Amino acid sequence: MSNKNLIGTGVAIVTPFDKKGEVDTAALRTIVKHLHQGKVDYIVVLGTTGETATLSKEEKNLVVKTVVEANGKKLPLVLGIGGNNTAEVVASIKETNLKDFEAILSVAPYYNKPNQEGYYQHYKAISEATRKDIILYNVPGRTGSNVTWETQVRIAQDFRNIVATKEASGNMEQIMKIIKNKPKHFMVISGDDNLTLPIIAAGGVGVISVVAQAYPKQYSDMVRLCLAHKFEEAKKLHYSLIDITDQLFADGNPGGIKYALSLLKKCQPFVRLPLAEPSDKVKQTLVQLIRKYK
């Protein structure tokens, strides 16, 4: 049976920083409240957009504590736990208190470039480490290699607690082959904001979004319309946000979304090295697009 709490719009929440470069818990609470008001369906904590790679263990704990408290059990929460050292990921899952979380989002191992059997064995080890539901995250643009549709379907068939894939390959043919061949309980979640509409049309169940952090109501309304097969109405919202979404990723994520959130008075635009803020050209374009957006 599918996990219905993972259907719809999930938001990969940023980790706001203050001018000293420390975690800005007040801004994090503001963003959680903004997502509640926008009626998104769930929140993903400590994903790529949360700059997890540059957070200390203590900072990760602070982010989790802040989001859990600010959320107050209003929305399901998903926790990012992934990496390219399988033993370390397994140990992290086993030592983490997951009681406040609906599921784990675990990115495919990056840099090592495993073959397909390596991916399969990695997710087998993660599956066996917990009873929690797990979302596989395939994002070749960041990891350097692709988990094929055949491997994803094999994982879905063999490990019942791996309940979904966040697909950010951008390859619609691959995504459709997963949807066609997957077991019934397994869900396909869009990992590309601008492909969410066609992915749901093909049989996907929603998105883990970046742009919905800035425009939670508009984007989650679009997703709900898609899930209700009201694509003509959904297209209006989809195309109204498509240019803003392009610019959010034009010079790196989460630099783009943080700058947009700063324009919307939700947090400061600061990111941590090796990330840098978007170029002046991207900033100027975002200013113009956000000013015009209604």
Side-chain angles (χ1 to χ4, degrees), residues 25-26 28-30 32-33 36 43 45 61-75 77 99-101:
T25 55
L28 191 51
R29 289 175 184 276
T30 296
V32 172
K33 184 178 178 183
H36 287 165
I43 298 172
V45 189
N61 290 338
L62 177 60
V63 168
V64 167
K65 181 173 180 285
T66 303
V67 173
V68 168
E69 287 176 357
N71 183 54
K73 299 188 176 176
K74 288 179 183 170
L75 292 174
L77 301 176
K99 71 179 175 66
D100 294 306
F101 292 91

Side-chain angles (χ1 to χ4, degrees), residues 102-124:
E102 185 72 26
I104 295 163
L105 176 70
S106 198
V107 69
Y110 41 81
Y111 189 75
N112 311 47
K113 291 197 171 181
N115 63 15
Q116 296 304 308
E117 186 61 24
Y119 282 127
Y120 177 86
Q121 294 297 335
H122 174 83
Y123 280 104
K124 178 176 188 278

